[in-house]
Amino acid sequence: MSDMRFSLLDWGVLCGYMLLMVVVGVLVARRQKDVEGFFLGGRSMPAWAVSLSVLATSLSAATFIGAPQIAYAGDMTYLSTNIGTILAAFIVALFFVPPLYRAGTVTLYGFLTQRFGPGATLAASCMFLLGRLLASGARLFMAGIGFALILYGDYAPPDLLIAIIILGAIGTAYTVCGGIRAVIWTDAIQIFVVGATALLSVLLLLRMIPLTPNEIVETLRTAETGDKLRLLDWRFSFAEPFTFWAAFVAMTVVGMSTYGVDHDLAQRVMTARSPLRGGLALVGSMILGLPLVGLFLVIGLLLHIYYARPDLMGVDAPWDAIADSKRVYPQFLLNHMPTGLRGLSMAGLFAAAMSSFDSAINAMASVAVADIYLPLRKQWRGGEVSNELALSRWMVVGMGILLTLFAVLAVFLQQAGNETLISFSLGVMAFALAPLLGVFSAALFTRRGNTRSVWTALGIGMLSVLLLQPYAAPAWLDIPLAWPWWWVIVSPLSFLICILGCPQAPSEKTITQKDAPR
């Protein structure tokens, strides 16, 4: 019987992995010479590495822990959301990446300066920082669940607090050294660790479950809760997040915002050597992600048999029970993985967590420096910052601390909402990304809009998302609406509000592409 404690070999594997990430960050740091190199890698990154980095970040701890949780308690319909995200990747690659890449700004939101003026960039940047704090804080909180289980055998709030702080410190350490290059190269390593963990888990579960593959399939198809192998849910219900209609319509809009106007992911695409290579990297990451997400869902299905069907497991039934579906996969890894592989498996969880954390704090720092601090300093004090690279590194540290604090807050937010981990992590993104998609669509596809209409569109958009929350909606607006549909309402609303503004006069654009911080 396991006592859920790591052996020395497990700790050696895990600590060795963490040390490797820091070493990569230090080695890459030698090539950092300026802010553009730190935040955009000199626009010289190979497409295959960019693709793996985008894939690693988009999966994150939300998929590592959340996807098995969904399949364990439900079925495979979450996989259908990839219909929309793949469609969105093609749309973004064709219509968003080329003009945003050609803008030549350090961040995505610098493009809005060229269209609407510096005030629009300031508003969009602040909106992004708020949204990324919420979303990435939620992801770091999920990774803390696994680490808390290692350290304490439980994930009560005090235990999670310490686990989250440790993970945040490690992720900040190697990101502050190597910038976006460290993010991309460590992500490329981490995605292989994540994939290996998933594949090993499936193989081990197939060996431990005393059923043939055909018997496993039949058991899942005839489960008491319904067919757990169902891929498409054809119900026309706005209250369910993973129906076919939500996957085809709503998730396409969600994906356009995630990969088109979220600087966390779009920043990687902008580091490629050309818009074409950046677009191909984005589409490739979505296609590669399909089988990997499927693997994590299969893990959840097999864990359902392993834990919830002792009548089938017989003498091989596990000794530990599942009290909370959030811990089903981390608990399996800790209790039933062989020594050594247990350490590698938990390294996979941390790889998933760090791949989203490192990119988030780098993206947030680039926005804070290029879009907020430097323009405001130039306006108020004049002159140049003596060492912009040092400033950028310190901003990464600050964002790492801030994001870690928001991860602690996410512990209590998720408990209050009582949602699945994936629904929680994706839902909080709507506050920033749904309004931003409307504003960017106005900037890219129309000639209308100005600074005031941008501020109004973002403000009303965020308020609209708040009113759609179950805990905040007024009685007359109490309509069950799953989180993907929030985008379908809010993004068009923000677009319409933005284009109500008259076109910005050229004289009002005080910062041009040439003058924008590089």
Side-chain angles (χ1 to χ4, degrees):
M1 180 180 295
S2 170
D3 62 359
M4 294 183 67
R5 292 180 182 175
F6 261 25
S7 67
L8 286 177
L9 178 58
D10 293 321
W11 278 114
V13 171
L14 183 57
C15 292
Y17 161 77
M18 292 180 174
L19 179 61
L20 174 63
M21 295 301 99
V22 175
V23 169
V24 170
V26 172
L27 292 176
V28 172
R30 299 174 181 176
R31 304 186 62 179
Q32 309 302 330
K33 297 180 180 179
D34 53 28
V35 172
E36 186 171 359
F38 189 76
F39 288 132
L40 289 177
R43 296 185 186 269
S44 62
M45 302 304 297
W48 64 268
V50 172
S51 184
L52 292 177
S53 180
V54 172
L55 174 59
T57 299
S58 60
L59 285 176
S60 77
T63 301
F64 196 100
I65 298 177
Q69 179 195 14
I70 285 178
Y72 176 83
D75 51 33
M76 294 279 286
T77 50
Y78 174 69
L79 191 63
S80 67
T81 60
N82 287 271
I83 297 172
T85 54
I86 291 175
L87 287 174
F90 278 100
I91 294 171
V92 170
L94 289 173
F95 299 109
F96 284 65
V97 172
L100 295 175
Y101 192 99
R102 287 194 299 267
T105 53
V106 172
T107 77
L108 203 64
Y109 310 113
F111 172 77
L112 296 181
T113 295
Q114 301 170 19
R115 274 289 282 112
F116 302 124
T121 294
L122 178 62
S125 299
C126 291
M127 181 72 80
F128 162 76
L129 290 175
L130 175 61
R132 185 41 55 197
L133 281 172
L134 290 172
S136 294
R139 293 176 175 183
L140 184 60
F141 141 65
M142 295 175 205
I145 292 175
F147 200 26
L149 285 173
I150 292 176
L151 295 175
Y152 306 103
D154 197 3
Y155 57 96
D159 304 333
L160 269 176
L161 175 63
I162 296 175
I164 288 169
I165 291 173
I166 293 174
L167 290 176
I170 294 170
T172 302
Y174 68 77
T175 306
V176 75
C177 292
I180 191 63
R181 287 182 180 275
V183 171
I184 291 175
W185 289 120
T186 54
D187 282 355
I189 297 171
Q190 288 171 159
I191 195 61
F192 285 107
V193 178
V194 171
T197 299
L199 185 58
L200 284 172
S201 299
V202 169
L203 294 176
L204 183 62
L205 280 164
L206 288 174
R207 181 180 178 183
M208 297 171 72
I209 295 174
L211 300 175
T212 66
N214 288 337
E215 290 172 336
I216 290 175
V217 169
E218 184 61 25
T219 299
L220 294 172
R221 286 195 183 280
T222 58
E224 291 183 3
T225 55
D227 183 5
K228 296 183 72 65
L229 296 180
R230 180 177 60 165
L231 284 171
L232 298 175
D233 183 352
W234 294 98
R235 290 177 296 170
F236 197 82
S237 170
F238 291 107
E240 299 297 328
F242 304 133
T243 65
F244 170 79
W245 312 107
F248 183 69
V249 178
M251 287 303 298
T252 300
V253 183
V254 173
M256 288 171 61
S257 70
T258 303
Y259 304 112
V261 304
D262 182 354
H263 190 58
D264 184 22
L265 288 168
Q267 182 185 27
R268 248 68 57 78
V269 177
M270 301 304 163
T271 66
R273 292 167 182 165
S274 68
L276 176 61
R277 293 183 181 184
L280 290 175
L282 176 60
V283 173
S285 69
M286 296 302 99
I287 295 174
L288 288 173
L290 188 61
L292 197 51
V293 173
L295 265 181
F296 281 104
L297 290 170
V298 168
I299 289 170
L301 296 178
L302 295 176
L303 288 173
H304 172 79
I305 296 177
Y306 187 70
Y307 280 112
R309 296 299 305 270
D311 55 316
L312 298 177
M313 292 298 298
V315 295
D316 297 313
W319 56 268
D320 53 332
I322 298 296
D324 184 348
S325 62
K326 288 195 294 290
R327 65 186 292 167
V328 61
Y329 188 37
Q331 182 170 313
F332 170 78
L333 294 178
L334 285 169
N335 285 7
H336 303 288
M337 270 287 185
T339 299
L341 290 181
R342 183 186 296 127
L344 178 63
S345 299
M346 295 312 295
L349 169 59
F350 299 143
M354 292 299 98
S355 63
S356 57
F357 179 84
D358 57 14
S359 62
I361 61 175
N362 186 276
M364 290 165 62
S366 68
V367 168
V369 170
D371 294 341
I372 299 177
Y373 178 79
L374 292 180
L376 291 178
R377 177 187 170 90
K378 184 176 181 180
Q379 179 180 348
W380 293 343
R381 299 179 58 182
E384 302 293 333
V385 177
S386 59
N387 193 336
E388 292 185 359
L389 184 57
L391 168 66
S392 301
R393 294 189 192 279
W394 278 111
M395 194 65 76
V396 168
V397 174
M399 291 302 165
I401 294 172
L402 197 57
L403 188 53
T404 302
L405 293 176
F406 266 75
V408 174
L409 176 62
V411 176
F412 304 98
L413 290 176
Q414 196 277 335
Q415 289 176 340
N418 196 30
E419 300 173 279
T420 64
L421 293 174
I422 280 187
S423 292
F424 172 67
S425 66
L426 295 177
V428 295
M429 294 167 57
F431 284 94
L433 295 189
L436 280 172
L437 178 60
V439 168
F440 267 89
S441 297
L444 290 167
F445 305 121
T446 78
R447 294 181 179 273
R448 296 190 60 81
N450 54 46
T451 298
R452 290 182 180 178
S453 68
V454 168
W455 278 82
T456 305
L458 293 176
I460 294 178
M462 187 167 63
L463 178 61
S464 300
V465 175
L466 179 63
L467 291 176
L468 291 171
Q469 305 300 307
Y471 55 81
W476 57 270
L477 198 61
D478 189 15
I479 303 172
L481 197 67
W483 59 265
W485 295 106
W486 301 344
W487 269 264
V488 179
I489 294 174
V490 176
S491 294
L493 175 63
S494 297
F495 171 81
L496 292 174
I497 294 172
C498 189
I499 63 174
L500 287 177
C502 296
Q504 188 94 335
S507 60
E508 294 180 68
K509 301 175 188 177
T510 56
I511 297 181
T512 65
Q513 175 180 341
K514 182 179 179 181
D515 297 327
R518 296 295 301 265

